Every structure is written in C-alpha cells, then in structure tokens.
Amino acid sequence: MARGNRGRGGRGGRGGGRGGGAAKPRSERWSNTVTESPRFEAYYKAQKIVPEDEWDAFNAALHEPLPTTFRITGCREVAPRLNQMIKDVFVPFLSGKEYDGQALEAPKPIDWYPNGFAWQLKAPRQAIRKQDQFKKFQHFLVHEADVGNISRQEAVSMIPPLLLDVQPHHYVLDMCAAPGSKSVQLVEALHAKTAAASSSSASAAEALSTLPTGMLIANDSDAKRCHLLVHQSLHRVPGAGMMVTNHDATQLPGLRLPSDIKQQNDKLVADDEVKMQSEAERKKYQPLLFDRILADVPCSGDGTLRKNVGIWKEFSPGNGIGLHSLQLRILLRGIALLKPGGRLVYSTCSMNPVENEAVVSAALAACPEMSLIDVPEMLPGLIRRPGMTTWSVIDNTLNNAPHPDDAEATAAHIAANPDKRHRKVWSKTLWPNGKEAERGLERCLRIYPHLQDTGAFFVSVLVKAGGSTSGEAEVAAESKGTVRERASSPVAEQPETKRPRQEEEVVAETIVEAPIEAAAPAPEPEAKVEVEGEAPAVAEDDVDAAALPAEIVGANFSRGPGEFKEEPFIYLSPEDEQVKLIMDFFDLDPSFPAASLLVRNAQGAPLRSIYFTSNLARSLLLANTYSRMRLISCGVKLFTRQDSSKDGTYRCKWRVNSEGLEVLRPFLGPKRIVKANVKTLRTLMTNVTTPIAELEEAEFKERIEGMEPGSCMIQVEARGEGVAFEQSLFLPFWRSKISVNLMVEKADKSALSQRLFSEDITPHKPQPKARDVARAAAEDASATPSGAGTPVSTEAEAETKVGEKVEETPAAAAVVE
C-alpha cells in the first residue's frame, strides 16, 4: 500500500500483538472499535465512487477483515515446486477447518496473478497467527517468508508492479519504496530469467549472460525505513543491480551515467537539457533516465480501512486535500526522470479522487508529452472500475469548496471564516480541468473491496511520448510553457512520513497556485567526480589517502552537522591482496568480475564485508558523488570476514554469505565444494557444530579431512525416502580444525528443515526482538571493523563462536561479524 498513513496503520495494522491463545470472535474484536463514520459515508456518497445500488455491498465489505494473502517469489528455481506443495499439502490441510463459526474455504490462487503464484485464504492474519488449528500453515508462512520464498502482501498491493511491466534490461525507480513489498516484486521482475543460472550445471558464461542488465533504485525519504527495507525485505531477494537511496521523492537528484554505456534503451539528451561542468563533461556523461518508474505515493490510506480500522475515526476530507500537492510534486518529478517511451505507474491506497484522478489530471495538463494508457489485456481476471472524470472538492464541513475562479463563492467563504487560519485559496488542480475525457481518466483503475474481497486501490499507467525501438532514441522537445518541476524547489513542509494534517492546517501545500519550472534532471554538483586512475580528494585527517584504491565513490567523507552520515562505497582493485586471495581460495573462474567488488568504509579496505554489484551499478556509482546519491545499500553481500582464530589456522578468513551464494555459485571451482547425502545434511542441521571425527558418511569425511580449513560449500541432492520436498541444495558451511557447521541463518535453516522433513530439527534458541533486529540493521553500515570485539583464544571457543553467530538473524549477525 502507499505510505501516507504508516505511523497509524502501516506496521501497526497487524493488530493484536503476538500473544498466544485463540482469536476472539469477530464481534468481540470489533466491539470496542469505531467502524462507522457519517462523514466518510456522506463524503463518498457525494463523490458517487460506486453506483447507488452497490453502496450497501461496498460498505459491508469495508467492515470485514481482510483475507490472508501471499505470493511466491517467482524468480526462484524452487517456485513451481513450492506452489505445487501448497496445492498438495496446505489446500487439503485447511479444507474443512472452521473460522468464526463457519466452514473455511480452502486457499485458492488469486485469479489475476501470473502463473497462479499468489494465494488467498478467507481468514484474517490474526486468526492464522493465533489459532492452533492453523499452526502448521502459520509456520510455513513465517519460515518461507523469512528466507524470501514467499511474501505476505495484500493482494491489491501486488497490482502496481505488475502493471509496470518490468523487463530485465530496464532501469527502474521506486520513488517511495518502504516497506518494500513492491520493490521486491520489481527485483523479481529484473531477475525473471536468472533462475536457470542458479542450477549446478550453469556455467560462468551462462550466469553472466542471464544476469539482468538493468537496475532498481528503491528510494524512501525516511532513513530508518530505508534500513528496514534492506534488512527485512530486499535482503531476502538480493540483486546485484539494486540500490537503496534516501531522498525526498519530490527532490530526487539528477544522476548521470558514462556516455559509453550502450544499451538498446539508452537515450541521448540534447545539450541544453543538462548543464555539465564543461563541454568535455557533457560528452563524457549522460543523464540517468528510467524506463520504468513506480510512484506509489503517500496518501490518506482510506483504502486500507479493512485492516487499519483507526481510519474510520480519523477520516477527514482535509486529509486528502492536504496531500494533493505533495502527491502532484512527486508525480511531476517522476515524469521528469522518465525516459521517452517509458512507463510510469502512479498509485495510492486511497479512494479519494482528490488524491487520485485530480493529481493525474493536473500532471497530464502540465506535461502534454504524457498520456494514460488502457491496460485491459493485463491481469485478466482482475475486476476493475474505470477512473472518475468528474468529482467535487469538499471541505471538512462537507460543503463544496469555492473554486478560485468563482469570485462570489470565494468572497462568501472569506466572510464566513473571519479567522485567517480557516481562509483558503484553493489550488485549481484539485478540480477537474474540463479536459478529463480527452485525457482519458477513465483509463485509470479503481479497485473496490466488494468486487474481489480485497482492499481498495487506485492505479494509473502513464507513458511518455518520444520512444523509439531503435538503438538510440531522440528526446522529444518539451513544449514551451509546460509546467515543470524545479529540481531545486523547497522541500515540502509535509514530509512523506508525516501523519496527514487536518484541513485547517493545510495552507502551503494546497493553496499556492504558482508556476513550477524545470522537469529536466538537476545539474551535477561542482564537486569533483572520481574516475579510474585518479586519487580521491579526501581530508587528510579522515583517512590515509595513499591506502585508498583508485575506484572510489564520491569525494566528501566528512561528517559535519547535517551531512549524510552513511559509510561510502569504495570499489576494490582486482589486484588487492585480499581479492586475489579470495579468487585463489574459492577457485573462482577468471571471468568473475572482480572489479565489481566493493567495501563500505572510508579506508577503502576489506575489513568486514565485501559486496558485489553489477557493471551498470558500478558505472553509476563511479559517475556520481557520494553525498549526491545518499546511498543506503547497494548490491549483494558476498563475503564476510570470520576472525575465529588468531593462530594462523585459516589462510583465508572470508566466508561466503548465503544471500550472495546464488551470484557466486556459477563461478566456483570444485576445490571448495563437497558433495554429501541427506543423512549428513540432517546431522549438520541438527547440531550447531559437528566434530569431523563423528561424521558417518565416509566419502564426505575423507574429503573434509583433506580440505584446507575455512569456508566451503556443501552440495546435496535431497531426494528419496524421508524427504518431503525434493530439492537440489547448495549451502555454505565452515570447516575448522576439528569440526564443521552450516553457515546458514536460523530462520533459513528452520524453513529448510520444515520443507525437507516436515519438522524443525534445528537447535532452538530465543529469537531477538524485532526492535533489536531493526537497531542492529541500522548500525550495520557503521559497525566497527572485524576483530574489534572480544578476541577468540582457543580453537574450541572459535568453533562455538562460529556456531553461535550463524544462529543470529542477518541484521543481528552483522553486529558480531
């Protein structure tokens, strides 16, 4: 859903806490909750959002809790078999069970979701979580969601990314990304062709050929939510071409790429469109424009009434009016960053036409190069209603607001409101502009809860004129007099994360009717951009410049007041000693793109973690300054330093991270790969550490004894008797002097155990609290280098530390890396 209401209904909408016991009957759960609003009913009846004969059905649906919905991560090799498992195991398991005194319908695929990979169960999440009869299904949902095989997501929230029609070569921007469910869908679309490359038979060349050539920039204005986006959503479906940034969506900076990047969908921009530092700079770089942009903007959130019941009490027409200007400015900025021929999806979880059709209509009037398209062929089975072409602007008194051109009505309004705080000069963009029919507002999609038992949602699909199917396309000249967004315009007083204000507080956002200029990408900063072969310009008291590699992102690492405080991303040289050690120790194919390995610290040294990015992401980072991008996360974490011994036992102290294994796997030689049977895997999963002397599989034991200590990979064909879910497995583990243990997170290990053996055979330990995980995630980038903590003095202690570490969650584990 869109995020205008997160503080009240987003994360808090789960309801009920995590206590045990049976769920209360629906009548008792809702008895003390306000679920009626005369103002809501009067407002939307006046707007005529549904035909009069449908109002009762529409209103009744709003008072029912949402069903449980989830979808399978389609880009994973395991997806088809996991979907079949749901059909074979959980559909029969849930059939016939009762909820709220009635027989429960079996889970069914959502009609319109591709490949039948999304499911709906007509019982709310609270009941699934609390009632013992659903325990098996709840464990399945939790475990598979933790490892990223499924996403628990509201059905209507899945629609905008699907209508965006992302292809692996696209440059994609998610303008308001947190909490991240839609961003995960976009990453999946980029990696739609990579599942085959993750198989054991895929070669390094095949892996390189199937990697997406596009990228995703997921942005959010709130830094804390950016970290949650990374650690709770996108770490489960990592992508080498994925970045998370922290910007006000109305002021996303103009970025640039080297001009020598040749892709079919690249566009050349006329010289007068972008102001570079010099003629040489203009030839060297081109502005970054996007093929696909998702603007799922902050909104009043009344489409989420079925789960955020507090909105009934707080509903006010002024909430939508107060967000209109912010939404319009976000949309205009998205249009400015869209390539000619590109597609932009604007969506909200609001039913209010002031937040929906009015915003789209104003943007179309301002940008004649944009047009709405009808998408009836997409998502067949989705019941949708057309967008509205007429609506009213109604204030908090439920009276029609005076149009700025109606002098008589405006005078009467001022006379009736002697208090200046209540006087309004309403923006014309709130009203229909008289050209809606020719602009095609009926092509927008309205989703209502009574149509298919969902939440309410608004979606519109816009395209920009000027696209071309040839290798390079011209940029259409923008009409003179077009309203544009000024890249340097002041930040909105109403931030994206803030609770919508009441109508009397909304003045600056909705009142000012002023020309908006310049939708072109913002000019580049004056600071020097580092390129290969040049030494970075950093303060002498920050780092030792002589120790820094040449490929460095950004020049400003100072930590002054108000400055961006994330650690910089610095690419390692392929000649770095640790990079060469990794290439040799893990027997990596020479084609492995070692130049795309980077670290996150101002020293530019491989201290704790090593990340991997796509070539496109590397080019983008090297072409833009550190402070301009406000980068929170980039790429996939491949290696983590494991300082488990100080006596020289380990020549290579780097271990392979589970989340990066799919990227690394095709490049791994046989030297660090060991085959094992299911019985050995079960032993390793049952114990935190397993002494080598106690291994029963002779071939596995012999191979382990002959291996150099350090990080390894185990390959298992999990098939045959005792295996409920047949699967080819490739997992990281650690070989110490006297024992071995799987380097798999507790959640991942539990999910794998449930899937393979229909039970959790892993050693159980208390799970960290959610707030501790979030805090650890936020500290990940700035944590002290590896080795700064308590030293490990003996081999036995070292093995215990390794075993304990992998039982942590990914975010918590980062603290002890």
Side-chain angles (χ1 to χ4, degrees), residues 107-187:
K108 60 181 182 180
I110 295 176
D111 294 338
W112 44 265
Y113 197 89
N115 302 314
F117 277 179
W119 290 79
Q120 176 173 298
L121 175 65
K122 197 172 178 60
R125 292 179 63 173
Q126 298 94 317
I128 297 296
R129 186 171 67 246
K130 292 183 178 182
Q131 293 189 7
D132 290 340
Q133 63 175 332
F134 298 124
K135 189 173 183 179
K136 179 180 178 180
F137 182 58
Q138 166 68 3
H139 284 175
F140 166 77
L141 290 179
V142 170
H143 290 312
E144 296 299 341
D146 283 342
V147 299
N149 285 333
I150 69 171
S151 293
R152 303 175 73 177
Q153 184 177 355
E154 187 177 344
V156 288
S157 176
M158 305 173 192
I159 296 172
L162 294 174
L163 295 182
L164 206 55
D165 190 28
V166 171
Q167 303 299 319
H169 63 277
H170 283 155
Y171 298 178
V172 186
L173 170 65
D174 188 350
M175 301 183 73
C176 310
S181 57
K182 296 181 184 67
S183 294
V184 171
Q185 279 186 267
L186 299 176
V187 174

Side-chain angles (χ1 to χ4, degrees), residues 10-78:
R11 291 186 297 275
R14 297 173 183 171
R18 296 185 177 272
K24 296 179 180 179
R26 184 178 304 160
S27 58
E28 185 178 346
R29 289 199 314 271
W30 288 57
S31 61
N32 296 321
T33 304
V34 175
T35 58
E36 299 293 340
S37 172
R39 179 177 286 190
F40 173 89
E41 182 172 349
Y43 181 79
Y44 278 119
K45 279 189 172 181
Q47 296 290 7
K48 300 179 180 179
I49 62 170
V50 296
E52 187 175 347
D53 59 358
E54 289 186 25
W55 179 265
D56 289 343
F58 164 74
N59 190 49
L62 287 175
H63 289 77
E64 290 291 317
L66 276 172
T68 295
T69 53
F70 61 94
R71 60 180 184 79
I72 295 173
T73 304
C75 66
R76 294 199 167 178
E77 185 182 8
V78 74

Side-chain angles (χ1 to χ4, degrees), residues 35 42 92-93 114-115 117 225 288 334 395 397 557 598 615 674 733-734 745:
T35 58
F93 172 75
N115 302 314
F117 277 179
R225 286 210 312 266
L288 171 63
D395 62 21
T397 65
F557 298 157
L598 57 77
N615 288 333
V674 186
F733 73 101
W734 186 265
E745 303 294 343

Side-chain angles (χ1 to χ4, degrees), residues 78 101 118 151 172 189 248 267 358 395 398 423 427 473 486 506 530 566 587 593 653 660 666 710 794:
V78 74
S151 293
V172 186
D248 179 344
K267 309 292 185 295
D395 62 21
L398 298 179
R423 294 184 182 182
S427 171
R486 186 187 303 276
V506 180
E530 303 299 329
E566 291 290 325
D587 195 19
K653 297 184 178 182
T794 67

Side-chain angles (χ1 to χ4, degrees), residues 231-540:
H231 292 278
Q232 294 185 4
S233 298
L234 295 175
H235 85 273
R236 300 177 306 160
V237 189
M242 189 206 74
M243 287 166 265
V244 176
T245 59
N246 173 215
H247 293 281
D248 179 344
T250 67
Q251 294 185 308
L252 281 165
L255 303 176
R256 61 186 188 179
L257 282 170
S259 294
D260 59 359
I261 291 182
K262 301 294 183 184
Q263 289 202 332
Q264 184 176 2
N265 61 343
D266 278 348
K267 309 292 185 295
L268 299 178
V269 177
D271 287 352
D272 60 348
E273 291 292 307
V274 179
K275 296 179 181 179
M276 294 293 186
Q277 295 176 14
S278 64
E279 182 68 24
E281 289 289 292
R282 191 155 50 242
K283 293 179 179 179
K284 188 173 182 179
Y285 296 103
Q286 63 180 9
L288 171 63
L289 299 177
F290 295 89
D291 300 280
R292 298 288 187 267
I293 295 179
L294 176 61
D296 184 49
V297 302
C299 67
S300 61
D302 57 31
T304 69
L305 280 166
R306 296 184 67 178
K307 64 178 180 180
N308 298 329
V309 293
I311 296 177
W312 285 106
K313 182 178 180 180
E314 299 177 9
F315 175 82
S316 167
N319 291 341
I321 294 172
L323 288 163
H324 170 86
S325 178
L326 172 66
Q327 293 160 341
L328 177 56
R329 285 183 288 124
I330 291 174
L331 178 54
L332 288 174
R333 187 57 186 154
I335 291 172
L337 295 173
L338 187 66
K339 286 182 179 179
R343 176 178 292 198
L344 185 152
V345 167
Y346 174 86
S347 62
T348 76
C349 56
S350 168
M351 295 178 280
N352 196 337
V354 167
E355 301 178 68
N356 298 326
E357 286 88 352
V359 174
V360 174
S361 177
L364 291 172
C367 306
E369 72 277 16
M370 299 300 297
S371 60
L372 280 164
I373 61 170
D374 201 1
V375 287
E377 75 289 349
M378 298 188 72
L379 309 186
L382 174 65
I383 301 176
R384 60 197 92 185
R385 293 292 166 81
M388 300 171 63
T389 57
T390 59
W391 59 90
S392 302
V393 181
I394 300 174
D395 62 21
N396 276 349
T397 65
L398 298 179
N399 293 314
N400 288 330
H403 193 282
D405 292 340
D406 188 338
E408 183 177 344
T410 300
H413 169 75
I414 293 175
N417 293 278
D419 187 341
K420 291 184 178 180
R421 292 183 305 163
H422 295 277
R423 294 184 182 182
K424 306 286 188 301
V425 181
W426 304 84
S427 171
K428 292 180 182 180
T429 59
L430 293 167
W431 278 267
N433 60 27
K435 301 178 181 178
E436 301 80 42
E438 65 183 84
R439 303 298 291 184
L441 287 180
E442 70 280 354
R443 295 171 185 163
C444 300
L445 287 73
R446 281 185 161 264
I447 314 298
Y448 293 123
H450 65 296
L451 301 178
Q452 286 179 298
D453 198 12
T454 66
F457 222 79
F458 172 86
V459 190
S460 58
V461 184
L462 300 96
V463 294
K464 196 173 198 177
S468 171
T469 57
S470 60
E472 294 179 346
E474 300 176 356
V475 170
E478 300 193 59
S479 302
K480 292 183 179 181
T482 297
V483 177
R484 297 186 179 189
E485 180 186 13
R486 186 187 303 276
S488 58
S489 62
V491 179
E493 291 180 23
Q494 166 82 29
E496 295 176 27
T497 58
K498 218 171 186 180
R499 178 183 177 278
R501 286 175 286 177
Q502 297 300 315
E503 184 184 16
E504 57 269 17
E505 298 174 287
V506 180
V507 180
E509 281 77 22
T510 60
I511 299 173
V512 180
E513 175 89 331
I516 311 173
E517 186 190 80
E524 293 300 319
E526 295 298 323
K528 180 182 178 182
V529 175
E530 303 299 329
V531 295
E532 293 187 19
E534 295 184 357
V538 292
E540 293 182 0

